[in-house]
Amino acid sequence: MQYDLYKNIEISAKSRLSGEPLPRKEQYRVHILALGDVGSTLAMGLRLMGGDVISTLGVCDLREGVSQRWEFELNQIVPPGENRFPPVEIVDIDHILDCDVFLFCASRFVPDTAVKSGDVRMAQYELNRPLAAGYGRMAREKGFRGMFCVVSDPVDQLCRAVLLESNRDEAGELDYKGLSANQVRGFGLGVMNARARYYAGRDPRFASYLTEGRAFGPHGEGLIIANSITHYDDKLSRELTELTKRANLEMRSLGYKPYVAPALSSGALTLLACLRGEWQYSSVFMDGVFFGIRNRLTGNGCEAEQLAIPEALAERIYETVEMLKGID
């Protein structure tokens, strides 16, 4: 069964929501908002690995002294030989969108290590949605034409909030004059692929994922891990999905916040692959929601991996898309 992961809905055909492909550049000016656990780790990854595609890394945090700390620290990370790392600069909030790539890492609520059950990502949605939506409106006001990247949880739902709120007028009506769907992208699925690979490397029952598997959907509830595209086993895939979904709770049970792997696997490594035009896992606009798939940026826009999807897997994808549509 062939499932079209890029089926457009009516809203995507209106005005700028579909949008023109983002211009490809040799190097990009990247700005990071909020330097908490995730933002600071992400910044370290981009400083160390992004010299080929990042011209300047701008950092911004509303807490006193935090931006200064990370400008000081990051610019002192240098190799023993020639320094090819991107320079780090402090950016104030008024100029946070003067860039090619904006990384939204802000959060009003991050569950502490005492939280060891439930979907902690969705618990953040109520507080983080208005925060993300506010920067969506800022992007509209400033006529932002770069890439708006959501790293904060829940990634996929916040992407939708950013896109929709940026396209509302002062009366709250959609006028389609804000961000295009091509400009907004979520970075959360990369670590889910990494976690699935972690378990697949430790249990031979899941070994096929390492060469034939795929991840789909949101970073959290609704996640879909397929053990294999060519030899799909629904029972095994659902078991591996549950292990992957609960990996963050496993880390919390040890008394630590699970932010290092997400900041690097979903954040730094995936963003850099995206900017280089390489295949990677990120969330893009499809069928009215943001949905994580394997894709790459080309000169003609975003290209999704074309796959023949087994029927049982397609049904899981449809279910997740409908679930995401029900979240306002």
Side-chain angles (χ1 to χ4, degrees):
M1 176 179 180
Q2 190 73 29
Y3 178 60
D4 183 3
L5 292 175
Y6 268 116
K7 183 176 67 174
N8 292 322
I9 63 163
E10 180 183 357
I11 194 173
S12 67
K14 293 185 177 181
S15 187
R16 295 191 60 257
L17 274 185
S18 56
E20 296 297 323
L22 295 175
R24 295 295 305 278
K25 304 179 68 172
E26 290 189 5
Q27 289 200 314
Y28 299 81
R29 181 174 178 83
V30 178
H31 285 179
I32 302 176
L33 174 66
L35 299 164
D37 291 336
V38 170
S40 60
T41 305
L42 171 57
M44 285 187 275
L46 295 179
R47 165 75 174 172
L48 288 167
M49 299 180 287
D52 61 321
V53 288
I54 297 177
S55 60
T56 305
L57 183 60
V59 295
C60 177
D61 194 290
L62 300 182
R63 295 170 297 172
E64 184 177 358
V66 175
S67 297
Q68 289 77 8
R69 175 205 174 182
W70 286 107
E71 183 277 334
F72 192 72
E73 292 269 38
L74 292 170
N75 280 318
Q76 294 177 39
I77 299 175
V78 297
E82 182 180 359
N83 183 4
R84 297 182 179 178
F85 298 165
V88 179
E89 300 177 351
I90 296 173
V91 179
D92 62 49
I93 197 65
D94 292 331
H95 297 91
I96 192 63
L97 291 175
D98 294 347
C99 60
D100 303 304
V101 179
F102 170 58
L103 293 169
F104 178 82
C105 300
S107 181
R108 284 181 173 153
F109 170 57
V110 177
D112 62 26
T113 55
V115 179
K116 297 181 174 63
S117 63
D119 189 351
V120 295
R121 303 175 190 91
M122 286 309 297
Q124 297 173 265
Y125 183 57
E126 184 176 349
L127 291 175
N128 287 347
R129 186 190 188 285
L131 182 62
Y135 283 94
R137 289 189 291 272
M138 179 189 291
R140 170 194 176 95
E141 294 165 2
K142 292 183 175 292
F144 180 61
R145 293 294 178 264
M147 187 186 297
F148 193 118
C149 302
V150 176
V151 183
S152 301
D153 281 329
V155 169
D156 310 79
Q157 293 85 348
L158 292 182
C159 282
R160 188 183 186 200
V162 165
L163 178 64
L164 291 177
E165 293 304 317
S166 78
N167 281 281
R168 296 188 190 277
D169 61 20
E170 293 182 358
E173 299 295 327
L174 286 169
D175 62 5
Y176 312 104
K177 295 181 179 179
L179 295 167
S180 74
N182 285 337
Q183 288 180 264
V184 183
R185 184 175 290 258
F187 289 88
L189 190 57
V191 74
M192 296 314 214
N193 170 60
R195 287 167 174 167
R197 292 183 64 86
Y198 173 86
Y199 291 113
R202 284 157 178 74
D203 188 332
R205 294 180 304 134
F206 305 129
S208 60
Y209 184 82
L210 299 173
T211 55
E212 304 171 3
R214 292 293 187 277
F216 302 93
H219 175 64
E221 191 61 38
L223 171 72
I224 301 163
I225 298 295
N227 74 301
S228 169
I229 291 297
T230 54
H231 302 90
Y232 180 72
D233 184 311
D234 194 61
K235 183 178 179 180
L236 274 180
S237 294
R238 290 180 183 274
E239 184 178 347
L240 184 55
T241 297
E242 286 303 309
L243 286 171
T244 303
K245 280 170 53 178
R246 294 185 57 82
N248 65 321
L249 299 179
E250 289 295 316
M251 180 59 69
R252 287 178 176 278
S253 71
L254 298 175
Y256 298 96
K257 295 179 183 179
Y259 67 86
V260 176
L264 296 175
S265 290
S266 288
L269 290 166
T270 299
L271 174 65
L272 292 175
C274 180
L275 297 181
R276 292 167 183 149
E278 299 169 355
W279 291 103
Q280 36 72 33
Y281 283 107
S282 55
S283 296
V284 296
F285 190 69
M286 54 156 284
D287 204 7
V289 297
F290 280 83
F291 190 86
I293 53 173
R294 193 166 182 259
N295 68 90
R296 65 180 177 182
L297 281 181
T298 72
N300 295 320
C302 185
E303 177 189 359
E305 182 181 39
Q306 296 302 305
L307 297 169
I309 303 292
E311 186 172 357
L313 177 56
E315 290 177 359
R316 294 179 67 190
I317 291 174
Y318 279 123
E319 289 173 2
T320 290
V321 170
E322 292 304 309
M323 181 271 291
L324 291 171
K325 287 180 180 179
I327 300 174
D328 293 326

